[in-house]
Structure formats: structure tokens, C-alpha cells
Amino acid sequence: MGELPPRETNTNRLSTMVNELPKRIYILGAGNLGSFAAHSLAGIPQRPPITLLMLNRQLQRWEEHGSCIDLTTHGMTETRRGFEVERMRRTEDVPLPEASSPEIDLESSNETVSEDHFQQPEQIAETNTPTMGTEGPLGEGPSLKESNPVMDSSLPQQAEVGALTRQRSNSEEAIPSEQEREIDSWFAEVETEVHDQQTGKLSMGNAADSEDDEIIYSLIVSVKAPQTVRAIQRVAHRLTQDSTILFLQNGMGIIDEVNEKLFTDEGYRPTYIIGVVSHGLYSNGPFSVVHAGDGTMALGVMPRMPIKESLQPESLSQLATSARYLIRTMTRTPVFVAVGFPPTDLLQQQLDKLAVNCIINPLTAILDCKNGALLSNMYFTRVIRLLLAEISIVIKSLPELKNVPNVNMRFDTLRLERIVFSIAKKTAGNDSSMLQDVRAGRQTEIDYINGYIVRRGEELGIHCVMNYMLMHLIKGKTKTKSLEQADLLPIAGARRGG
Ligand SMILES: CC(C)(CO)C(=O)C(=O)O
């Protein structure tokens, strides 16, 4: 009897498909995390081709820096080259989505990200400058009001909070919000680009223009949360349902926004992978990153369909080939210490991290202090507890965690408090990423941190007034800062230009 041809198993077929897939990995956002990702991927055997997607201003800095990325670990700097760069297509060629804040009922208004993996909080390494997201639904379990002494009737209730959020004062009409300014300034580069092309002043260097419509199969996105939609918008025409986007960012709710604004058709959206990163990274200048603390990268493929009830992992054979390729490539890059998790596990890690960011980031930004200043101060501890009480109830009520065992224990206020203090201790000498943003008058990620809790709480009928207040203090502080920087702050008795 003749030998039978080898049977094509699922695994065989998938690895053939993976081998046929274009190996190029595109990186959108060359801040600390993006540069760290590019540098690390460039160091593995049979390195994948890597393309950095840039705007003009970044391109200029890239060329000034010598078209390379430096990564400093334990005082030793390693420089890596050989990256392709592409200038992203101009926005006027792309229909831009209505820019909006992810806040519920808010007035329609129009990079260092610190990522920490909190499954093992003791692993979080100290960094100098961070770089780099009830017992049941209301009615089934205790309400926030019952469990939280501050939730009394003197505080604005749901309708009032909604009404407050809808108000827009005349002064707000007159002066663009800090979000509008930030988005404008990001996109102002396009205008510069047109002008410079006309005057011929700007050298495009060796950068390819990404106006060819080559499909992007593997994309890593590491821009700040509020810039994500508009950044992906620039390459959305090159993304298909065969593509995979890996999000390496702070905050939560970004993917919902990307779906709502860019990939509305569930059947045709790319596969999404979320990465929760705990490496301590800080910047030494453009394309120059210090890897100050070893960490991990938890990766999880998000189900294609909207997450309503509990998250079902997609079976391996259902995964896009590009997703398998990207996960394989990330996990074979030793520096990342990357591990894949089922979606529900990853979600819980994201929520742990979110809870920490909801406390440390805005409080340090408002108090203008290092993370460590939140420790051993009973006044701050009281504020932290009130905030965590709201956060804990919202998380425990999330429908996507409904069938997950031990959710109540895992997201208990006391456990969250322990994680917050442990991270504050480990990063005691840090300026949080939000503090850095506020100081620089940059738009913060507050809408995707406390704003996410407020929004999910509203959906569930839980009034998160503490988080709501904090969110608006941050927005107010950012606005004041940006007005100060633009010399627009009205001060009694002071005359501008006089
Ligand atoms: C954990 C913390 C607060 C470290 O500074 C962080 O992730 C951030 O600053 O964004």
C-alpha cells in the first residue's frame, strides 16, 4: 500500500498561513512604549521588518536623532537601526470622525504612558518617570448609596449630574477646550506639512509616503488614549478584517470608541489584542528610552463581537492569522516577558491597573506631588477609600464579569487599596504620567481612567460622584494650565499686552 500524503491538520494549515502572511509590523506612536517595542522586536533572531508610522514633526526628530532607537538598560545603551519609516497620509484625504469626548452626556467637544501589570504588584519596578487604561447590578445588590457614607441626598443625583455635564458656559464656547486644543495641535502638523510642501522647506528624508494602500496586517498602537481614534484613522483604509491591532496603552474604553468611530461593521473589523504592560520606562529624549524596571506584558485577544455578557475566548482556529503571528512574535521577544491570557483574565488585570491609575494619577496631578506622597497620610487615605468604594462597586457590577468566580473578592475595596499602596510605594519617586501631562498643559487620559468608571457607572445606575469630581478637577486644571501657557488666563487687574 502506497504512503498516504500527510494529513493536513488545523495546526499545519495555520502555520502555513502564518508563514505566508506578510511579516511586517507597523508601529503607530513612537513614544516610550512604541520605541521600546520597536527596539525590542528589532533584537530578536529573524527580526520582523518594522515600519514606524510618523507625522512630519516626528520624522524631523527621527532624522535629527540619526534614524535609530536607543534603549538604555542598567546604564548600558544599545542603539538599533534598520527601521522603515512611513509618513502618514494627510488628514484631508481621510474623512475624519466627529471628535468627541467619551464622557456620558458631556458637552460635545470636540505620549509617556505608564503601564503596570498588577497581577503580581510586587513585580512592578521603580521607575523615575512613568511612560508608557456591589454585589450585582444596581437593584440586585447593595447600592452605592447604601455602602458609601458620602452618597447622601445632598449630592447631585443621576439626572442632576447629567444636567451638569450638559451645561456649557459662554466662556467654554469662546475658548476651545484643552481637548480641542490638543487635538488641533496634533493635527496642525498636517497644515505645516501642506505649507512646507508648498514652500519646499521640509525635507521628507528617506521616509516613504504611506499613501500607497498596502494592507497593514500587524499594527501596534501606542499613542495616548485620546489620540487613538484619530491616529488609527490615518491608516484605517489599510486595515481589514485580516489585520490585527495590538493596543499598548493606559486606560479603558478605547476599543469601544475605535469600533464606534472607525470599524462600525462587526464582521469587518480587525482583530484586537490588548497588552497590559508593567515595564518601567522613561524617556531620555525622542527615540531614546530607559528601561528602568523589568516587568511583564499580558496579552489577550478580544472577542470580535461586542462584550455584553461574559467574555468567551475565541478558539485558536478562529483567530486571524495575523493575531497568531503577532502574539507569537511578541512572546518570542524575551525583553517583553509577554504571556497570553484568556480575555476574562486579561480584563481583570486591566481593571486592577485601572483602579490604581484612577487613584494615583489624578491625585498626584491635582496635588502636584510624587506618587510616594500619597503614602502614610490619613487624609489622603480617606479620599482614596471613598474613590475606591465607587470603583469597586462599578467593577463588581460589570456585566462582562457576571459569570466570573471570585469577582467580589478580587475587586473588594480593601484588596484594591492594598494594590494602590503597594504600587505607590514601588513607584514612590515617580511623577505619574498624568502629573507630567498636566504640568505640560497636555491633554490627559482622564476620560479613559476615572471617566471610564463614571461612564460605566452611569450605564449601571451607579453615581460615581467622587470620580466625577476628580475627573473635572483634572480637566479644569489642564485647562487652566493650557490657558496660562497661551497667556489667556483672566487675572483681575492684569492687562495683557500692556
Ligand atoms: C502606576 C503609575 C501611577 C506609576 O506612576 C502609572 O501607571 C502612571 O503614572 O501612569
Side-chain angles (χ1 to χ4, degrees):
M1 213 162 117
E3 220 176 273
L4 285 172
R7 214 168 134 238
E8 201 190 12
T9 61
N10 256 357
T11 326
N12 284 345
R13 193 149 26 91
L14 283 167
S15 53
T16 315
M17 281 156 65
V18 167
N19 288 335
E20 281 163 7
L21 184 93
K23 300 282 186 291
R24 181 165 298 279
I25 297 180
Y26 290 79
I27 301 183
L28 185 49
N32 293 343
L33 208 42
S35 298
F36 171 64
H39 188 280
S40 308
L41 286 169
I44 60 177
Q46 291 156 1
R47 76 181 248 183
I50 301 164
T51 296
L52 310 174
L53 293 163
M54 294 186 196
L55 295 169
N56 269 342
R57 212 176 293 162
Q58 293 166 313
L59 258 169
Q60 255 174 322
R61 284 189 211 123
W62 172 252
E63 284 168 13
E64 278 159 22
H65 185 70
S67 307
C68 62
I69 300 177
D70 301 326
L71 184 73
T72 306
T73 313
H74 305 304
M76 301 262 294
T77 301
E78 192 171 357
T79 301
R80 291 203 173 125
R81 300 172 188 280
F83 304 97
E84 305 270 315
V85 289
E86 271 186 30
R87 185 178 67 96
M88 280 193 288
R89 89 189 259 173
R90 302 198 316 243
T91 39
E92 63 238 51
D93 300 336
V94 188
L96 287 171
E98 287 279 303
S100 71
S101 155
E103 276 176 5
I104 288 278
D105 281 341
L106 247 192
E107 67 271 318
S108 80
S109 71
N110 203 323
E111 179 170 268
T112 26
V113 184
S114 177
E115 305 282 351
D116 292 285
H117 166 28
F118 300 110
Q119 202 183 26
Q120 294 125 329
E122 58 286 348
Q123 285 183 354
I124 310 296
E126 196 163 310
T127 63
N128 292 332
T129 308
T131 69
M132 338 182 236
T134 154
E135 308 309 315
L138 212 75
E140 285 170 39
S143 71
L144 184 58
K145 192 171 175 189
E146 279 159 5
S147 62
N148 188 337
V150 294
M151 305 296 286
D152 65 32
S153 55
S154 60
L155 289 165
Q157 293 302 298
Q158 191 72 25
E160 291 167 282
V161 173
L164 282 173
T165 59
R166 274 189 294 273
Q167 280 169 17
R168 194 176 170 138
S169 71
N170 290 341
S171 59
E172 278 173 312
E173 302 275 353
I175 303 165
S177 71
E178 80 286 351
Q179 278 177 324
E180 289 163 334
R181 283 155 173 278
E182 179 76 17
I183 287 171
D184 285 351
S185 80
W186 206 68
F187 286 93
E189 301 200 11
V190 178
E191 311 308 326
T192 321
E193 178 182 315
V194 175
H195 171 79
D196 290 341
Q197 276 172 350
Q198 279 163 0
T199 58
K201 276 192 190 143
L202 191 82
S203 140
M204 288 291 111
N206 297 321
D209 200 318
S210 75
E211 293 197 20
D212 63 5
D213 286 336
E214 204 181 300
I215 299 289
I216 295 178
Y217 287 97
S218 306
L219 175 67
I220 298 179
V221 173
S222 55
V223 295
K224 281 225 170 201
Q227 293 160 358
T228 308
V229 167
R230 302 205 105 189
I232 297 179
Q233 174 84 25
R234 291 180 166 238
V235 290
H237 61 291
R238 300 171 62 185
L239 295 163
T240 74
Q241 71 269 37
D242 296 326
S243 310
T244 294
I245 307 179
L246 164 59
F247 294 87
L248 297 180
Q249 294 170 310
N250 255 348
M252 289 184 73
I254 304 157
I255 290 186
D256 296 337
E257 214 185 330
V258 167
N259 283 340
E260 196 188 300
K261 306 265 173 61
L262 300 177
F263 303 112
T264 45
D265 191 336
E266 285 167 15
Y268 289 95
R269 38 180 83 126
T271 300
Y272 304 133
I273 303 179
I274 292 181
V276 181
V277 183
S278 68
H279 293 277
L281 304 170
Y282 69 89
S283 171
N284 240 354
F287 309 103
S288 186
V289 181
V290 179
H291 189 191
D294 290 335
T296 57
M297 187 183 286
L299 300 172
V301 180
M302 291 296 109
R304 222 169 249 266
M305 299 303 161
I307 303 163
K308 286 278 168 357
E309 296 283 296
S310 64
L311 297 161
Q312 293 304 325
E314 294 195 25
S315 84
L316 218 57
S317 57
Q318 284 175 300
L319 274 191
T321 318
S322 54
R324 289 169 52 84
Y325 166 68
L326 203 48
I327 290 192
R328 209 160 81 177
T329 310
M330 298 304 284
T331 50
R332 78 179 179 90
T333 305
V335 187
F336 293 149
V337 196
V339 181
F341 287 91
T344 313
D345 292 6
L346 191 94
L347 175 66
Q348 293 179 73
Q349 294 187 41
Q350 269 190 293
L351 289 164
D352 278 345
K353 175 174 164 45
L354 183 80
V356 172
N357 288 135
C358 277
I359 305 297
I360 301 183
N361 294 28
L363 289 182
T364 53
I366 286 165
L367 299 166
D368 200 1
C369 65
K370 299 234 177 257
N371 296 355
L374 299 179
L375 298 162
S376 316
N377 184 322
M378 69 171 186
Y379 303 105
F380 295 154
T381 306
R382 284 178 187 162
V383 173
I384 291 171
R385 286 189 181 146
L386 291 172
L387 284 162
L388 285 175
E390 289 181 359
I391 294 163
S392 163
I393 291 180
V394 170
I395 295 179
K396 288 195 245 176
S397 308
L398 293 174
E400 56 269 38
L401 291 179
K402 200 165 132 198
N403 301 322
V404 178
N406 297 327
V407 162
N408 287 344
M409 253 162 65
R410 173 158 183 158
F411 295 104
D412 173 74
T413 315
L414 258 179
R415 178 181 163 272
L416 294 180
E417 190 181 316
R418 274 199 292 272
I419 304 180
V420 168
F421 283 119
S422 135
I423 303 298
K425 201 167 163 196
K426 290 196 162 88
T427 61
N430 283 10
D431 293 337
S432 77
S433 53
M434 199 172 284
L435 171 58
Q436 293 175 57
D437 287 340
V438 167
R439 278 187 184 152
R442 283 194 298 257
Q443 185 183 12
T444 69
E445 298 182 302
I446 195 77
D447 282 327
Y448 303 84
I449 300 180
N450 304 73
Y452 183 77
I453 292 292
V454 171
R455 191 165 75 251
R456 297 304 305 267
E458 290 214 8
E459 281 167 25
L460 296 159
I462 304 168
H463 316 301
C464 297
V465 290
M466 294 287 295
N467 282 276
Y468 181 83
M469 184 187 74
L470 206 49
M471 178 170 103
H472 283 82
L473 283 173
I474 290 292
K475 284 170 180 261
K477 189 156 181 171
T478 315
K479 185 165 191 160
T480 304
K481 196 79 195 176
S482 62
L483 292 180
E484 262 171 28
Q485 285 174 353
D487 196 17
L488 280 174
L489 196 64
I491 297 167
R495 273 177 211 281
R496 293 181 58 232

